[in-house]
Amino acid sequence: MKKLSTRVIYIAIFAAIWQSVYYLEIFPTMLFPSVFDIFSSLYKELLDGSLITKVGYTLYLIFLGILVSFGIIVVFVLLSSLHKNIKNYFISAVSVLDPLPGIALLPLAILWFGVGNGAIVFIMTHSIIWPVLLAILLGFDSIPKIYKEVALNMQIPKTRMLIDIYIPAAMASIIMGLKSGWARAWRALIAAEMIFGTTGALGGLGWDIYIKRSYLDMPGMLATLIVLMVIGILIEDLLFKFIENKTIKNGEQSHEFT
């Protein structure tokens, strides 16, 4: 909460600087609108419900991408647990595919899935899978050997060992991978929506930015950018913080208590 409050203060300072520059008329007002015009546009879109619809569409797409990605990641993790060579193969695949920007696969995605949700989900899946998979595999490797040896001596099944020992012990690394995957998927989604705007496909916030740019609606475009930043801050400071508190910190407290 303290971190969130600090960010709000920084945003307020930035808004004050922006408004001061507006009053100085250094830039044309059509390209550099006032803070009041930006928030007026934001208020109007909230009032007529159009902003809620676009936010809902964008969040639907990204959570669909996350759902598909997690299904694939689970399969990859289970396969990598079968043999060390399989795990090494996936680590090599990450080193090759992870540096490839998701948006660079857009032409291929359009050819395979057409212009629509399928192509966007494909790009997001590519952006999510590799950093999360690498974080999970490296997190498993960092688990103390004593945990693995005790589980093997007790003849615990691999599935139960994965759920009860590996995942909790590697949770810090997994959450870091999730943060990286979320950030990359979020950027890929907005970029893909903006590009699909040129083909006339309906979309969410990215498409909204493209349309407003076409009509030189600077207050509206900047209002949408503010919404993107707010969503990013909420996911980072609230959702991931909640997950960390319920997993990593609770685990540390339980360990100290025992």
Side-chain angles (χ1 to χ4, degrees):
M1 188 61 67
K2 183 179 179 181
K3 185 178 179 181
L4 183 61
S5 301
T6 302
R7 288 189 175 182
V8 171
I9 294 173
Y10 288 157
I11 291 171
I13 294 172
F14 179 80
I17 295 173
W18 181 286
Q19 189 65 20
S20 299
V21 174
Y22 170 79
Y23 284 136
L24 292 174
E25 297 183 353
I26 299 174
F27 305 102
T29 55
M30 184 179 70
L31 300 179
F32 201 93
S34 71
V35 172
F36 301 104
D37 291 337
I38 295 170
F39 280 94
S40 175
S41 177
L42 182 62
Y43 176 74
K44 288 178 182 177
E45 292 195 50
L46 280 171
L47 203 61
D48 62 21
S50 61
L51 181 60
I52 302 299
T53 301
K54 286 175 279 196
V55 170
Y57 185 83
T58 296
L59 292 180
Y60 158 75
L61 284 180
I62 196 162
F63 285 117
L64 179 61
I66 290 173
L67 184 64
V68 173
S69 300
F70 278 13
I72 297 173
I73 289 170
V74 168
V75 173
F76 285 176
V77 170
L78 291 176
L79 289 175
S80 67
S81 66
L82 297 177
H83 197 275
K84 186 176 181 180
N85 289 337
I86 299 177
K87 183 185 72 175
N88 292 336
Y89 171 80
F90 281 121
I91 292 177
S92 299
V94 170
S95 65
V96 173
L97 297 173
D98 188 46
L100 184 63
I103 201 65
L105 297 175
L106 184 58
L108 183 63
I110 292 175
L111 290 175
W112 282 355
F113 302 100
V115 177
N117 292 352
I120 296 177
V121 170
F122 173 78
I123 294 171
M124 285 191 294
T125 300
H126 166 78
S127 300
I128 296 171
I129 285 178
W130 310 118
V132 176
L133 179 62
L134 181 62
I136 292 174
L137 296 180
L138 294 180
F140 288 172
D141 285 342
S142 67
I143 298 174
K145 289 185 179 181
I146 186 64
Y147 292 177
K148 304 175 184 178
E149 292 172 356
V150 170
L152 290 173
N153 289 334
M154 296 178 64
Q155 297 182 346
I156 298 177
K158 282 191 174 182
T159 304
R160 184 181 170 188
M161 189 187 306
L162 185 68
I163 296 173
D164 294 343
I165 298 176
Y166 278 45
I167 293 178
M171 186 56 67
S173 178
I174 292 173
I175 291 179
M176 288 299 296
L178 291 175
K179 286 183 177 180
S180 176
W182 153 262
R184 292 180 57 175
W186 183 244
R187 291 193 294 267
L189 169 60
I190 300 304
E193 282 190 333
M194 291 178 68
I195 293 175
F196 284 158
T198 61
T199 64
L202 293 178
L205 296 174
W207 175 83
D208 185 53
I209 292 173
Y210 170 79
I211 292 299
K212 288 175 177 176
R213 194 276 304 173
S214 301
Y215 288 100
L216 292 179
D217 181 10
M218 287 298 293
M221 189 176 71
L222 292 170
T224 304
L225 291 175
I226 290 173
V227 173
L228 290 175
M229 289 187 288
V230 169
I231 293 174
I233 291 173
L234 291 177
I235 295 295
E236 180 72 23
D237 289 352
L238 296 183
L239 178 60
F240 281 116
K241 195 68 175 178
F242 173 80
I243 295 174
E244 289 175 352
N245 290 335
K246 292 296 182 180
T247 55
I248 299 175
K249 292 185 178 180
N250 281 352
E252 291 175 350
Q253 291 172 359
S254 299
H255 181 70
E256 290 175 0
F257 179 76
T258 55

